[in-house]
Amino acid sequence: MPVYILGIESSCDDTSASVLRDNVLLSNIIANQQVHKDFGGVVPELASRAHQQNIIPVIDKALKSANISKTELSAIAFTRGPGLLGSLLVGTSFAKSFAMGLHIPIVEVNHLKAHILAHFVVQPGKKKKLPEFPFLCLTVSGGHTQIVVVKGFNEMQIIGQTIDDAAGEAFDKSAKMLGLEYPGGPFIDKYAKEGNPKAYTFAKTNVPDLNFSFSGLKTSILYFLRDRLKEDSGFIQKNLPDLCASIQSAIVNTLMVKLKMASQQTGINEIAIAGGVSANSGLRQAISDMQEAAGWKVHIPEFQFTTDNAAMIAVAGYYKFLDGDFADQSVTPYSRGGI
Ligand code: KG4
Ligand code: ZN
């Protein structure tokens, strides 16, 4: 008998719902919140209010486009954390009450594990090679940067992580310095395509082992821009593509150095990338170049599964469902907490 899972994601500023039949995608609906644009970042209070407004229409749409009735659902999977507490509370409370009304179990999902497991969402009519265990995953999002050894669906170990900013934050904060809209990562990517990645070099902080640091790069960009703007107030406008290409190259190189180290240390050459920053064209290119250069077997997610989405929550929920790993009604969200 097929398992129908409804996934709900509400950890930050996207309200998303998705329905899977086993690991096969039937729908994936995402409502982006536009209210934060004028503030240069996500405003937690506004995010939870927008989730409250969006959650019913988004779930309704996900069920309708999957062409199933709510009574056919086997379980509801929801993001328990990490994320913004007020945002997580909306998805968690909705999942608990909906499941209680339907007399079905709930499955709590870790958002970061879900980013990784997005690689296992199968789409009808589309063939793709699924990662084989064990593989390494570079998870790069707005809040996290991790290298994870993925030993099984529910068995993961973090072997490296950022000690300060996340890669997405490095993109977004640099973009802010350049006067670009929030979130600036996609804009840096866009302008970088027309620029020279070697135009400028920025200082990077070296941290030991497989950990990352992006705060030195941020400071280096800040001082560089301050000095150049003193000489020419139009410096950014005149050199935007070169600046974006150089910043992107610095961030991608930092990620790649540690990922190569991790592959050498663990002897694993099956490599995946996940999270919002895995949409970055520079990173996608650098990873795919490693297929030829080092014989890596690489897994690059489709764009719809890079940034926050509920299909990844549903698939992570599906594999916990198979293990009978259910949560009870007393479950509460957590704002921090890794894999
Ligand atoms: O995974 P995600 O949607 O949310 C979190 O869990 O944080 O990641 C959002 C992050 C933002 O920092 C955004 O700027 C970044 O992903 N991002 C990108 C690109 N698309 C999204 N960064 C660089 N290049 C992109 N194309
Ligand atoms: Zn995310």
Side-chain angles (χ1 to χ4, degrees):
M1 211 165 102
V3 171
Y4 288 98
I5 305 276
L6 169 68
I8 300 175
E9 156 63 26
S10 74
S11 66
C12 191
D13 60 339
D14 294 310
T15 319
S16 180
S18 165
V19 178
L20 256 60
R21 186 185 53 237
D22 299 325
N23 61 348
V24 178
L25 185 70
L26 301 183
S27 66
N28 187 29
I29 308 296
I30 304 172
N32 303 113
Q33 301 179 1
Q34 300 303 319
V35 284
H36 310 287
K37 277 220 155 68
D38 297 340
F39 298 93
V42 177
V43 185
E45 187 72 19
L46 296 180
S48 28
R49 211 180 295 173
H51 282 305
Q52 193 84 60
Q53 286 162 348
N54 292 341
I55 196 150
I56 291 180
V58 164
I59 288 175
D60 191 45
K61 205 167 163 191
L63 289 169
K64 284 197 176 115
S65 57
N67 206 15
I68 70 154
S69 139
K70 59 182 189 247
T71 55
E72 291 174 82
L73 291 173
S74 317
I76 299 177
F78 64 95
T79 311
R80 185 178 173 198
L84 301 169
L85 216 51
S87 292
L88 291 162
L89 273 167
V90 178
T92 305
S93 306
F94 191 91
K96 288 204 268 185
S97 37
F98 199 27
M100 191 185 256
L102 293 169
H103 305 289
I104 55 174
I106 46 172
V107 183
E108 53 112 338
V109 170
N110 177 286
H111 182 85
L112 297 164
K113 273 189 181 166
H115 267 301
I116 298 172
L117 295 179
H119 282 281
F120 295 92
V121 175
V122 170
Q123 293 179 81
K126 275 196 190 173
K127 274 206 166 152
K128 78 163 189 176
K129 198 153 172 10
L130 302 180
E132 280 174 26
F133 302 118
F135 65 94
L136 290 181
C137 187
L138 172 71
T139 310
V140 269
S141 72
H144 296 85
T145 297
Q146 300 178 332
I147 300 177
V148 182
V149 182
V150 188
K151 299 173 187 165
F153 292 112
N154 295 312
E155 202 190 346
M156 304 185 188
Q157 184 194 355
I158 301 168
I159 56 170
Q161 57 193 321
T162 183
I163 58 164
D164 41 53
D165 288 349
E169 261 178 301
F171 270 108
D172 296 341
K173 287 180 178 172
S174 309
K176 198 169 181 177
M177 291 185 233
L178 299 175
L180 301 173
E181 238 177 67
Y182 179 86
F187 291 104
I188 295 209
D189 192 354
K190 180 177 145 198
Y191 295 115
K193 292 195 171 95
E194 292 134 43
N196 173 10
K198 296 202 166 86
Y200 309 107
T201 44
F202 303 107
K204 292 176 215 137
T205 322
N206 285 320
V207 283
D209 310 321
L210 297 172
N211 293 327
F212 301 90
S213 165
F214 290 102
S215 62
L217 174 68
K218 184 177 65 185
T219 313
S220 166
I221 297 169
L222 183 72
Y223 290 154
F224 172 82
L225 289 175
R226 188 195 58 186
D227 294 346
R228 295 299 172 103
L229 286 169
K230 265 190 216 154
E231 295 158 12
D232 175 6
S233 62
F235 177 76
I236 292 177
Q237 282 86 338
K238 287 177 201 157
N239 301 289
L240 192 59
D242 283 351
L243 283 165
C244 288
S246 303
I247 291 169
Q248 178 169 299
S249 157
I251 297 172
V252 170
N253 287 344
T254 304
L255 295 171
M256 291 305 294
V257 165
K258 296 297 170 111
L259 194 54
K260 286 175 197 170
M261 239 166 96
S263 171
Q264 273 160 8
Q265 282 183 16
T266 57
I268 300 174
N269 69 357
E270 179 119 10
I271 315 278
I273 50 171
V277 179
S278 69
N280 183 265
S281 56
L283 179 61
R284 294 167 86 90
Q285 188 61 52
I287 293 280
S288 58
D289 288 347
M290 291 301 285
Q291 294 187 105
E292 285 254 307
W296 283 7
K297 284 187 207 153
V298 305
H299 300 274
I300 298 173
E302 248 184 54
F303 285 110
Q304 62 163 327
F305 302 127
T306 56
T307 44
D308 292 346
N309 66 86
M312 68 186 199
I313 305 303
V315 79
Y318 169 68
Y319 287 107
K320 286 186 88 173
F321 179 95
L322 293 184
D323 283 353
D325 189 355
F326 304 123
D328 65 47
Q329 284 282 336
S330 63
V331 67
T332 52
Y334 51 84
S335 58
R336 292 173 174 276
I339 277 168

